[in-house]
Amino acid sequence: MAIYAPQPTITRLESDLLVLLAKIVLDENSVSYGGNVGSDRLVLSDERARELCDLLTEYIGSRAFVRGTTFVEMLFDGRLGHDHDAREIYLSSRKDMGRTRVLASRQWADFKARIGLEASPYEARARPMDSSQFIEMEKRLLRKLAVHPALEKLIESLVIDRIEIFDKIEKREKILVPGQIRGTAVKFLSQLQGTCGGIDVSRTQVVGIATVVSDATVLFSTRDWGVAGTLSTIAGGLAMSSPKPKA
């Protein structure tokens, strides 16, 4: 299936955060700390920690973050009761971006079918997205956002390492719980606050944050970009919660 160019909606805050996260995974990891820090750890200076804390605090309070993470958690918390609420977030967010709500039931059914969730065959005309298309779309989005090549590769690897998301969706397994992504971000922030003499953080969690920031920019654009953005937001959220992929 043809892949249309992404049309991300990115704010100055999101752009600044992606630039800072790239600097962190590049600059901080290039410094030697005498072997006292594990391979997945980054040591941040006080200045870097404060800068990240300020930007991340603002970001997790933003509408894009709250709306996007709430949406994906509702879809994949293993319960059916949130379907109506998730549908409303999806359709109203698309309307905010200039999309029509005409044939709303068909739009929602097609999105669900494309992402691999059960949808009425009388409403949905779409087939589930395959993993190869999803990965290619992620690459194109990161290039469009001009993410630093080194961070881009780390995000791609993070997403590929969590490709079992497709199997979990097909099996209707619970993937996220309500508030999981924000709760993890708040806990990460607490690590950064009041530090002195440097702090070590998980590189995987940093890359997970960058993944969420990147993919929230396309969550409610077109159907397929919404699907790809949703899947990557899940991958980023899982990496934030549990840096090592589950076997």
Side-chain angles (χ1 to χ4, degrees):
M1 182 174 289
I3 299 176
Y4 297 97
Q7 297 180 319
T9 301
I10 186 166
T11 65
R12 171 54 59 185
L13 170 63
E14 291 161 341
S15 179
D16 289 347
L17 187 51
L18 286 174
V19 169
L20 177 60
L21 293 169
K23 288 179 179 178
I24 287 172
V25 297
L26 291 170
D27 299 345
E28 307 298 334
N29 204 39
S30 67
V31 180
S32 172
Y33 293 93
N36 295 322
V37 180
S39 60
D40 188 51
R41 310 305 294 180
L42 301 171
V43 176
L44 279 62
S45 65
D46 290 350
E47 182 181 358
R48 274 279 196 264
R50 285 193 295 269
E51 189 178 0
L52 178 57
C53 186
D54 289 344
L55 288 180
L56 193 55
T57 298
E58 186 177 355
Y59 179 66
I60 67 172
S62 69
R63 186 165 184 257
F65 177 82
V66 173
R67 181 179 60 179
T69 57
T70 299
F71 175 70
V72 298
E73 289 165 355
M74 282 180 173
L75 280 178
F76 300 105
D77 70 354
R79 294 183 290 177
L80 299 177
H82 282 152
D83 185 78
H84 175 78
D85 295 333
R87 176 183 185 274
E88 184 55 34
I89 291 175
Y90 179 76
L91 294 171
S92 61
S93 298
R94 283 171 56 81
K95 184 178 180 182
D96 289 346
M97 298 184 68
R99 305 282 176 176
T100 179
R101 288 190 64 140
V102 173
L103 298 176
S105 294
R106 171 65 60 81
Q107 288 185 45
W108 179 237
D110 279 353
F111 173 83
K112 288 177 64 179
R114 194 78 172 115
I115 209 166
L117 293 171
E118 186 175 352
S120 168
Y122 299 104
E123 294 178 322
R125 299 173 297 181
R127 300 180 63 182
M129 179 180 290
D130 63 60
S131 58
S132 60
Q133 180 178 351
F134 160 56
I135 292 169
E136 178 60 29
M137 291 181 75
E138 183 70 10
K139 292 178 180 179
R140 295 193 188 192
L141 172 61
L142 297 172
R143 288 196 292 268
K144 179 69 174 182
L145 292 172
V147 171
H148 190 284
L151 179 57
E152 177 184 336
K153 290 185 182 298
L154 289 171
I155 293 175
E156 289 173 14
S157 295
L158 181 149
V159 169
I160 292 170
D161 286 347
R162 289 161 180 78
I163 207 69
E164 79 278 359
I165 291 169
F166 282 85
D167 292 333
K168 290 180 179 292
I169 291 173
E170 185 178 351
K171 295 174 183 177
R172 305 295 186 265
E173 294 182 11
K174 179 171 70 174
I175 301 175
L176 298 167
V177 298
Q180 178 175 332
I181 300 176
R182 187 180 189 282
T184 301
V186 170
K187 187 179 294 185
F188 184 86
L189 276 174
S190 70
Q191 290 182 262
L192 304 176
Q193 294 168 339
T195 59
C196 182
I199 179 174
D200 68 288
V201 296
S202 163
R203 180 174 69 168
T204 300
Q205 286 187 303
V206 170
V207 177
I209 293 168
T211 305
V212 172
V213 175
S214 299
D215 285 273
T217 65
V218 291
L219 264 182
F220 305 107
S221 52
T222 65
R223 182 198 66 190
D224 276 10
W225 279 109
V227 169
T230 296
L231 293 169
S232 291
T233 299
I234 297 170
L238 291 175
M240 290 168 60
S241 305
S242 179
K244 291 185 178 180
K246 294 181 180 179

